[in-house]
Amino acid sequence: MRDRLRQLWLCYRLQLKILLISPFEGFLGIVFPLMFATATLMVYAVNGDEAAMAYAGLGAAVMGVWTSVTVSASTLLNRERFAGTLELLVAAPTPFSMVLMPITTAMATVGLVSVGITLVWNRLVFGVQLQIQNWLLFVLSVLAATVTIAMFGFLLSVVAVRYRTAWALGASLEYPGWLLCGFVVPIALLPVVLHPISYALAPTWAVEAMRIAAAGGNPWNELTVCLALGLGYAAFAAFLGVRLIDSARRNATLALT
Amino acid sequence: MTNTRIFFVGGLMSFRAQFNWLNPWILVPALLVSPVAQILLFAYVGRAAGVGDDQFFLVGNALNYAAIPCMFAMTFAISGERWGQTLGLVLVTPARRLPLFLGRALPVIVTGWCVAVFGLAVGSLLLGVRMGATVWPGLVLAVCVTSLSCTGLGLVMGAACLRVRDGATLGNVVFLLLLVFCGTNVALEDLPSWMAAVGERLPLTHGIEAARQLASGATLGSVSDLLVRELAIGLGYAALGLATLGWMERDSRRRATLERM
């Protein structure tokens, strides 16, 4: 147990260092969603509706976590592949899922930094005041969003293991995620046919929990669904990961060369 | 003849190489899904905020996304050559630089045009925006002019990539500036004056304005001044880009920084 925790921590710390000095995944992972949050709030600011601004400002803060994870996680294995380390990771006695999970958690941590920066930016540039009635549950909801998006990234990285141009897949998930998870637009406004997809995404519940906590309500139901979905992603990714990696080894297609 | 061959064949080969095209499916998520998703995102933000109408966001974001291939492909044309260790070989050839680099720009302009028109067509279907058949020719022309002007900016960025190592980050930052400053989602008159002043000097701004007026039924003649201004700005950036490319090339040779990764 102690060895496992040490491995997870070391892997997380190393990846976080790599991400934070990467201009694309560190700097841009924060600036890109921040500018989209800015564009969104500029639209809301035209009518100057403070309640709507506060609603959008809160959700916009989580956009960065989604971006950091989906864009980076889809290319995670390709990055290892290009670095020539994918075979080493697969051959290591450590279960592959235990290698991927701390990496996607590190990505989500970069997103967590962007949550703080976006909230400060919204306050300074747009005057959006963060009024939180229950800070404990609010912070818990933000952490739930971070962890479950990391698990979604884990699933994404496994699914994209045989996809050579996975970067394009990750980039194309960015906007649909922002829309479907209700970060800046109420889900009720979306076509009904999209609602099941929204509710199958854990961040939808996390953002809802954040808003309920901010308003002083009880977000435990939303948090429970969110965490259950996150666990589901992780279990499915672990199940799929073993099979996909086995298949890649059996067919000698891991390198995709 | 040699210049024509460099322009067309060289440009096409460079364009294909930079996407690592093993098959054209790479285009689907990168250049077809994302623009439609961006249009939908801001159209729904507009609905939630009670600002503008679907057509406003459809036109603004479809044209904004034309900037992506135009800027990135030019950026990657340079940094891709460096990554493939062929930049030195390309620049050591006696080929004239004008067809060499403009040839790389042509397929990019066509791609940007296709992306924007695809976004307009699919976005209007999904959002239920009805634009008469008479509107489309003018709209397509506006898209074409905007793609051209964004490619001019792409040339400047391509030149910068002779020095800047991370072209993808640079491209994204410029794309974000265009998103916020060019009236893509907020009309220029609703932006703070300093932002509007910056937007006036960037490609895209006048193209979007012209396309919005055309989509609302204006005649081509009534928006010709906007389109001419858009074209002039694009040509200005293209001239700056070509001049910078020449300067950066000479400077890179002098400092031996061409292959620096």
Side-chain angles (χ1 to χ4, degrees), chain B residues 29-67:
Chain B
L31 297 180
L32 300 183
V33 174
S34 291
V36 175
Q38 184 181 320
I39 289 166
L40 294 178
L41 174 72
F42 281 104
Y44 275 98
V45 167
R47 287 182 188 184
V51 174
D53 55 15
D54 287 348
Q55 186 176 293
F56 179 87
F57 294 101
L58 168 70
V59 173
N61 287 286
L63 267 76
N64 176 252
Y65 222 87

mmCIF file of all heavy atoms in Angstrom, chain B residues 29-67:
data_model
loop_
_atom_site.group_PDB
_atom_site.id
_atom_site.type_symbol
_atom_site.label_atom_id
_atom_site.label_comp_id
_atom_site.label_asym_id
_atom_site.label_seq_id
_atom_site.Cartn_x
_atom_site.Cartn_y
_atom_site.Cartn_z
ATOM 1 N N PRO B 29 -12.532 15.852 -36.928
ATOM 2 C CA PRO B 29 -12.628 16.502 -35.607
ATOM 3 C C PRO B 29 -11.988 17.880 -35.580
ATOM 4 O O PRO B 29 -12.512 18.800 -34.948
ATOM 5 C CB PRO B 29 -11.872 15.534 -34.680
ATOM 6 C CG PRO B 29 -11.036 14.704 -35.561
ATOM 7 C CD PRO B 29 -11.669 14.672 -36.897
ATOM 8 N N ALA B 30 -10.869 18.048 -36.271
ATOM 9 C CA ALA B 30 -10.121 19.303 -36.135
ATOM 10 C C ALA B 30 -10.800 20.467 -36.838
ATOM 11 O O ALA B 30 -10.870 21.569 -36.289
ATOM 12 C CB ALA B 30 -8.704 19.118 -36.679
ATOM 13 N N LEU B 31 -11.278 20.232 -38.030
ATOM 14 C CA LEU B 31 -11.739 21.369 -38.826
ATOM 15 C C LEU B 31 -13.238 21.360 -39.129
ATOM 16 O O LEU B 31 -13.751 22.315 -39.687
ATOM 17 C CB LEU B 31 -10.954 21.441 -40.140
ATOM 18 C CG LEU B 31 -9.444 21.689 -39.986
ATOM 19 C CD1 LEU B 31 -8.769 21.731 -41.335
ATOM 20 C CD2 LEU B 31 -9.167 22.964 -39.224
ATOM 21 N N LEU B 32 -13.932 20.294 -38.779
ATOM 22 C CA LEU B 32 -15.367 20.281 -39.057
ATOM 23 C C LEU B 32 -16.211 20.246 -37.780
ATOM 24 O O LEU B 32 -17.211 20.953 -37.673
ATOM 25 C CB LEU B 32 -15.734 19.084 -39.959
ATOM 26 C CG LEU B 32 -15.032 19.062 -41.336
ATOM 27 C CD1 LEU B 32 -15.528 17.893 -42.172
ATOM 28 C CD2 LEU B 32 -15.227 20.356 -42.096
ATOM 29 N N VAL B 33 -15.795 19.456 -36.792
ATOM 30 C CA VAL B 33 -16.583 19.362 -35.552
ATOM 31 C C VAL B 33 -16.406 20.638 -34.716
ATOM 32 O O VAL B 33 -17.384 21.241 -34.253
ATOM 33 C CB VAL B 33 -16.174 18.120 -34.726
ATOM 34 C CG1 VAL B 33 -16.876 18.119 -33.379
ATOM 35 C CG2 VAL B 33 -16.505 16.843 -35.482
ATOM 36 N N SER B 34 -15.164 21.047 -34.540
ATOM 37 C CA SER B 34 -14.889 22.181 -33.642
ATOM 38 C C SER B 34 -15.562 23.492 -34.067
ATOM 39 O O SER B 34 -16.129 24.181 -33.220
ATOM 40 C CB SER B 34 -13.384 22.390 -33.495
ATOM 41 O OG SER B 34 -12.838 21.311 -32.779
ATOM 42 N N PRO B 35 -15.530 23.869 -35.370
ATOM 43 C CA PRO B 35 -16.194 25.136 -35.709
ATOM 44 C C PRO B 35 -17.690 25.109 -35.431
ATOM 45 O O PRO B 35 -18.241 26.103 -34.925
ATOM 46 C CB PRO B 35 -15.917 25.311 -37.209
ATOM 47 C CG PRO B 35 -15.403 24.025 -37.695
ATOM 48 C CD PRO B 35 -14.827 23.301 -36.528
ATOM 49 N N VAL B 36 -18.313 23.984 -35.732
ATOM 50 C CA VAL B 36 -19.764 23.892 -35.477
ATOM 51 C C VAL B 36 -20.021 23.965 -33.969
ATOM 52 O O VAL B 36 -20.948 24.644 -33.517
ATOM 53 C CB VAL B 36 -20.344 22.590 -36.085
ATOM 54 C CG1 VAL B 36 -21.804 22.424 -35.719
ATOM 55 C CG2 VAL B 36 -20.179 22.602 -37.599
ATOM 56 N N ALA B 37 -19.152 23.289 -33.198
ATOM 57 C CA ALA B 37 -19.329 23.304 -31.738
ATOM 58 C C ALA B 37 -19.143 24.717 -31.188
ATOM 59 O O ALA B 37 -19.876 25.136 -30.280
ATOM 60 C CB ALA B 37 -18.329 22.346 -31.091
ATOM 61 N N GLN B 38 -18.179 25.465 -31.739
ATOM 62 C CA GLN B 38 -17.980 26.842 -31.254
ATOM 63 C C GLN B 38 -19.190 27.728 -31.598
ATOM 64 O O GLN B 38 -19.631 28.549 -30.778
ATOM 65 C CB GLN B 38 -16.708 27.438 -31.861
ATOM 66 C CG GLN B 38 -16.412 28.828 -31.293
ATOM 67 C CD GLN B 38 -15.168 29.469 -31.886
ATOM 68 O OE1 GLN B 38 -14.168 28.793 -32.096
ATOM 69 N NE2 GLN B 38 -15.224 30.762 -32.150
ATOM 70 N N ILE B 39 -19.717 27.527 -32.797
ATOM 71 C CA ILE B 39 -20.909 28.301 -33.201
ATOM 72 C C ILE B 39 -22.062 28.012 -32.241
ATOM 73 O O ILE B 39 -22.722 28.926 -31.737
ATOM 74 C CB ILE B 39 -21.314 27.933 -34.650
ATOM 75 C CG1 ILE B 39 -20.296 28.496 -35.647
ATOM 76 C CG2 ILE B 39 -22.716 28.452 -34.977
ATOM 77 C CD1 ILE B 39 -20.416 27.918 -37.043
ATOM 78 N N LEU B 40 -22.272 26.716 -31.959
ATOM 79 C CA LEU B 40 -23.385 26.338 -31.070
ATOM 80 C C LEU B 40 -23.169 26.891 -29.666
ATOM 81 O O LEU B 40 -24.106 27.382 -29.028
ATOM 82 C CB LEU B 40 -23.538 24.814 -31.031
ATOM 83 C CG LEU B 40 -23.978 24.152 -32.335
ATOM 84 C CD1 LEU B 40 -24.053 22.637 -32.164
ATOM 85 C CD2 LEU B 40 -25.332 24.681 -32.787
ATOM 86 N N LEU B 41 -21.916 26.791 -29.186
ATOM 87 C CA LEU B 41 -21.610 27.277 -27.833
ATOM 88 C C LEU B 41 -22.025 28.743 -27.685
ATOM 89 O O LEU B 41 -22.780 29.100 -26.767
ATOM 90 C CB LEU B 41 -20.110 27.118 -27.537
ATOM 91 C CG LEU B 41 -19.632 27.709 -26.216
ATOM 92 C CD1 LEU B 41 -20.117 26.875 -25.040
ATOM 93 C CD2 LEU B 41 -18.108 27.811 -26.164
ATOM 94 N N PHE B 42 -21.565 29.588 -28.608
ATOM 95 C CA PHE B 42 -21.851 31.013 -28.430
ATOM 96 C C PHE B 42 -23.284 31.369 -28.803
ATOM 97 O O PHE B 42 -23.848 32.322 -28.251
ATOM 98 C CB PHE B 42 -20.825 31.861 -29.182
ATOM 99 C CG PHE B 42 -19.531 31.968 -28.421
ATOM 100 C CD1 PHE B 42 -18.423 31.246 -28.795
ATOM 101 C CD2 PHE B 42 -19.446 32.757 -27.283
ATOM 102 C CE1 PHE B 42 -17.239 31.309 -28.069
ATOM 103 C CE2 PHE B 42 -18.277 32.826 -26.548
ATOM 104 C CZ PHE B 42 -17.161 32.111 -26.939
ATOM 105 N N ALA B 43 -23.881 30.594 -29.717
ATOM 106 C CA ALA B 43 -25.295 30.854 -30.018
ATOM 107 C C ALA B 43 -26.140 30.599 -28.770
ATOM 108 O O ALA B 43 -27.056 31.372 -28.444
ATOM 109 C CB ALA B 43 -25.760 29.964 -31.160
ATOM 110 N N TYR B 44 -25.798 29.538 -28.026
ATOM 111 C CA TYR B 44 -26.557 29.244 -26.794
ATOM 112 C C TYR B 44 -26.210 30.221 -25.675
ATOM 113 O O TYR B 44 -27.072 30.562 -24.864
ATOM 114 C CB TYR B 44 -26.324 27.784 -26.363
ATOM 115 C CG TYR B 44 -27.262 26.851 -27.089
ATOM 116 C CD1 TYR B 44 -26.844 26.151 -28.217
ATOM 117 C CD2 TYR B 44 -28.588 26.708 -26.688
ATOM 118 C CE1 TYR B 44 -27.717 25.319 -28.919
ATOM 119 C CE2 TYR B 44 -29.463 25.883 -27.383
ATOM 120 C CZ TYR B 44 -29.027 25.185 -28.493
ATOM 121 O OH TYR B 44 -29.897 24.384 -29.186
ATOM 122 N N VAL B 45 -24.953 30.678 -25.643
ATOM 123 C CA VAL B 45 -24.604 31.722 -24.664
ATOM 124 C C VAL B 45 -25.444 32.968 -24.964
ATOM 125 O O VAL B 45 -26.007 33.599 -24.054
ATOM 126 C CB VAL B 45 -23.087 32.051 -24.724
ATOM 127 C CG1 VAL B 45 -22.781 33.335 -23.959
ATOM 128 C CG2 VAL B 45 -22.261 30.910 -24.141
ATOM 129 N N GLY B 46 -25.552 33.298 -26.250
ATOM 130 C CA GLY B 46 -26.358 34.459 -26.648
ATOM 131 C C GLY B 46 -27.813 34.295 -26.251
ATOM 132 O O GLY B 46 -28.437 35.229 -25.744
ATOM 133 N N ARG B 47 -28.331 33.079 -26.450
ATOM 134 C CA ARG B 47 -29.729 32.824 -26.067
ATOM 135 C C ARG B 47 -29.896 32.974 -24.553
ATOM 136 O O ARG B 47 -30.867 33.568 -24.087
ATOM 137 C CB ARG B 47 -30.151 31.410 -26.478
ATOM 138 C CG ARG B 47 -30.367 31.243 -27.963
ATOM 139 C CD ARG B 47 -30.828 29.828 -28.276
ATOM 140 N NE ARG B 47 -30.876 29.571 -29.711
ATOM 141 C CZ ARG B 47 -31.314 28.441 -30.241
ATOM 142 N NH1 ARG B 47 -31.749 27.465 -29.482
ATOM 143 N NH2 ARG B 47 -31.326 28.271 -31.553
ATOM 144 N N ALA B 48 -28.931 32.390 -23.805
ATOM 145 C CA ALA B 48 -29.032 32.452 -22.332
ATOM 146 C C ALA B 48 -28.916 33.884 -21.836
ATOM 147 O O ALA B 48 -29.577 34.273 -20.868
ATOM 148 C CB ALA B 48 -27.941 31.579 -21.707
ATOM 149 N N ALA B 49 -28.074 34.680 -22.514
ATOM 150 C CA ALA B 49 -27.860 36.057 -22.069
ATOM 151 C C ALA B 49 -28.906 37.007 -22.640
ATOM 152 O O ALA B 49 -28.996 38.164 -22.220
ATOM 153 C CB ALA B 49 -26.464 36.511 -22.492
ATOM 154 N N GLY B 50 -29.663 36.522 -23.624
ATOM 155 C CA GLY B 50 -30.658 37.390 -24.273
ATOM 156 C C GLY B 50 -30.005 38.472 -25.106
ATOM 157 O O GLY B 50 -30.493 39.602 -25.191
ATOM 158 N N VAL B 51 -28.876 38.122 -25.718
ATOM 159 C CA VAL B 51 -28.116 39.097 -26.511
ATOM 160 C C VAL B 51 -28.052 38.612 -27.957
ATOM 161 O O VAL B 51 -27.814 37.437 -28.212
ATOM 162 C CB VAL B 51 -26.674 39.244 -25.952
ATOM 163 C CG1 VAL B 51 -25.836 40.135 -26.847
ATOM 164 C CG2 VAL B 51 -26.717 39.791 -24.541
ATOM 165 N N GLY B 52 -28.236 39.525 -28.887
ATOM 166 C CA GLY B 52 -28.098 39.192 -30.305
ATOM 167 C C GLY B 52 -29.081 38.121 -30.737
ATOM 168 O O GLY B 52 -30.041 37.800 -30.027
ATOM 169 N N ASP B 53 -28.855 37.596 -31.926
ATOM 170 C CA ASP B 53 -29.671 36.473 -32.375
ATOM 171 C C ASP B 53 -28.730 35.394 -32.903
ATOM 172 O O ASP B 53 -27.520 35.597 -32.976
ATOM 173 C CB ASP B 53 -30.689 36.908 -33.437
ATOM 174 C CG ASP B 53 -30.020 37.596 -34.611
ATOM 175 O OD1 ASP B 53 -28.794 37.484 -34.742
ATOM 176 O OD2 ASP B 53 -30.720 38.250 -35.400
ATOM 177 N N ASP B 54 -29.302 34.247 -33.254
ATOM 178 C CA ASP B 54 -28.467 33.116 -33.686
ATOM 179 C C ASP B 54 -27.616 33.478 -34.896
ATOM 180 O O ASP B 54 -26.470 33.045 -35.009
ATOM 181 C CB ASP B 54 -29.351 31.909 -34.013
ATOM 182 C CG ASP B 54 -29.909 31.270 -32.746
ATOM 183 O OD1 ASP B 54 -29.416 31.619 -31.644
ATOM 184 O OD2 ASP B 54 -30.828 30.444 -32.841
ATOM 185 N N GLN B 55 -28.178 34.267 -35.795
ATOM 186 C CA GLN B 55 -27.443 34.619 -37.015
ATOM 187 C C GLN B 55 -26.178 35.417 -36.698
ATOM 188 O O GLN B 55 -25.139 35.229 -37.315
ATOM 189 C CB GLN B 55 -28.359 35.435 -37.933
ATOM 190 C CG GLN B 55 -27.741 35.722 -39.283
ATOM 191 C CD GLN B 55 -28.713 36.445 -40.193
ATOM 192 O OE1 GLN B 55 -29.736 35.889 -40.604
ATOM 193 N NE2 GLN B 55 -28.420 37.695 -40.487
ATOM 194 N N PHE B 56 -26.283 36.289 -35.707
ATOM 195 C CA PHE B 56 -25.135 37.102 -35.285
ATOM 196 C C PHE B 56 -23.975 36.202 -34.852
ATOM 197 O O PHE B 56 -22.833 36.374 -35.291
ATOM 198 C CB PHE B 56 -25.581 37.990 -34.111
ATOM 199 C CG PHE B 56 -24.507 38.873 -33.550
ATOM 200 C CD1 PHE B 56 -24.268 40.121 -34.080
ATOM 201 C CD2 PHE B 56 -23.740 38.441 -32.470
ATOM 202 C CE1 PHE B 56 -23.272 40.937 -33.555
ATOM 203 C CE2 PHE B 56 -22.751 39.245 -31.939
ATOM 204 C CZ PHE B 56 -22.518 40.504 -32.484
ATOM 205 N N PHE B 57 -24.262 35.212 -34.025
ATOM 206 C CA PHE B 57 -23.209 34.327 -33.508
ATOM 207 C C PHE B 57 -22.757 33.328 -34.572
ATOM 208 O O PHE B 57 -21.593 32.959 -34.621
ATOM 209 C CB PHE B 57 -23.694 33.597 -32.255
ATOM 210 C CG PHE B 57 -23.922 34.537 -31.109
ATOM 211 C CD1 PHE B 57 -25.199 34.959 -30.782
ATOM 212 C CD2 PHE B 57 -22.862 35.028 -30.377
ATOM 213 C CE1 PHE B 57 -25.411 35.850 -29.736
ATOM 214 C CE2 PHE B 57 -23.059 35.915 -29.335
ATOM 215 C CZ PHE B 57 -24.337 36.330 -29.014
ATOM 216 N N LEU B 58 -23.708 32.916 -35.412
ATOM 217 C CA LEU B 58 -23.370 31.978 -36.492
ATOM 218 C C LEU B 58 -22.314 32.587 -37.415
ATOM 219 O O LEU B 58 -21.259 31.987 -37.664
ATOM 220 C CB LEU B 58 -24.644 31.645 -37.278
ATOM 221 C CG LEU B 58 -24.459 30.908 -38.601
ATOM 222 C CD1 LEU B 58 -24.005 29.477 -38.357
ATOM 223 C CD2 LEU B 58 -25.752 30.898 -39.411
ATOM 224 N N VAL B 59 -22.574 33.788 -37.886
ATOM 225 C CA VAL B 59 -21.648 34.428 -38.834
ATOM 226 C C VAL B 59 -20.314 34.748 -38.152
ATOM 227 O O VAL B 59 -19.236 34.453 -38.680
ATOM 228 C CB VAL B 59 -22.298 35.705 -39.422
ATOM 229 C CG1 VAL B 59 -21.290 36.475 -40.272
ATOM 230 C CG2 VAL B 59 -23.518 35.343 -40.252
ATOM 231 N N GLY B 60 -20.391 35.324 -36.957
ATOM 232 C CA GLY B 60 -19.164 35.717 -36.243
ATOM 233 C C GLY B 60 -18.237 34.546 -35.984
ATOM 234 O O GLY B 60 -17.034 34.602 -36.281
ATOM 235 N N ASN B 61 -18.792 33.458 -35.492
ATOM 236 C CA ASN B 61 -17.939 32.323 -35.111
ATOM 237 C C ASN B 61 -17.504 31.482 -36.308
ATOM 238 O O ASN B 61 -16.413 30.927 -36.302
ATOM 239 C CB ASN B 61 -18.652 31.456 -34.072
ATOM 240 C CG ASN B 61 -18.693 32.146 -32.731
ATOM 241 O OD1 ASN B 61 -17.688 32.226 -32.042
ATOM 242 N ND2 ASN B 61 -19.836 32.705 -32.369
ATOM 243 N N ALA B 62 -18.358 31.408 -37.334
ATOM 244 C CA ALA B 62 -17.949 30.669 -38.544
ATOM 245 C C ALA B 62 -16.739 31.353 -39.165
ATOM 246 O O ALA B 62 -15.774 30.695 -39.550
ATOM 247 C CB ALA B 62 -19.098 30.599 -39.533
ATOM 248 N N LEU B 63 -16.779 32.670 -39.242
ATOM 249 C CA LEU B 63 -15.643 33.389 -39.832
ATOM 250 C C LEU B 63 -14.434 33.373 -38.904
ATOM 251 O O LEU B 63 -13.294 33.316 -39.358
ATOM 252 C CB LEU B 63 -16.035 34.829 -40.193
ATOM 253 C CG LEU B 63 -16.498 34.956 -41.640
ATOM 254 C CD1 LEU B 63 -17.893 34.411 -41.833
ATOM 255 C CD2 LEU B 63 -16.418 36.387 -42.117
ATOM 256 N N ASN B 64 -14.696 33.438 -37.610
ATOM 257 C CA ASN B 64 -13.590 33.370 -36.653
ATOM 258 C C ASN B 64 -12.837 32.056 -36.806
ATOM 259 O O ASN B 64 -11.603 32.009 -36.721
ATOM 260 C CB ASN B 64 -14.139 33.511 -35.224
ATOM 261 C CG ASN B 64 -13.068 33.367 -34.178
ATOM 262 O OD1 ASN B 64 -13.009 32.372 -33.481
ATOM 263 N ND2 ASN B 64 -12.186 34.343 -34.070
ATOM 264 N N TYR B 65 -13.577 30.995 -37.077
ATOM 265 C CA TYR B 65 -12.913 29.699 -37.186
ATOM 266 C C TYR B 65 -12.132 29.559 -38.483
ATOM 267 O O TYR B 65 -11.250 28.715 -38.597
ATOM 268 C CB TYR B 65 -13.915 28.545 -37.027
ATOM 269 C CG TYR B 65 -13.327 27.462 -36.168
ATOM 270 C CD1 TYR B 65 -13.452 27.513 -34.793
ATOM 271 C CD2 TYR B 65 -12.581 26.443 -36.722
ATOM 272 C CE1 TYR B 65 -12.863 26.562 -33.995
ATOM 273 C CE2 TYR B 65 -11.984 25.484 -35.927
ATOM 274 C CZ TYR B 65 -12.131 25.545 -34.567
ATOM 275 O OH TYR B 65 -11.527 24.604 -33.776
ATOM 276 N N ALA B 66 -12.455 30.421 -39.469
ATOM 277 C CA ALA B 66 -11.651 30.421 -40.701
ATOM 278 C C ALA B 66 -10.213 30.803 -40.362
ATOM 279 O O ALA B 66 -9.281 30.429 -41.071
ATOM 280 C CB ALA B 66 -12.236 31.411 -41.700
ATOM 281 N N ALA B 67 -10.068 31.549 -39.273
ATOM 282 C CA ALA B 67 -8.725 32.000 -38.879
ATOM 283 C C ALA B 67 -7.853 30.830 -38.439
ATOM 284 O O ALA B 67 -6.628 30.875 -38.588
ATOM 285 C CB ALA B 67 -8.835 33.024 -37.748
#
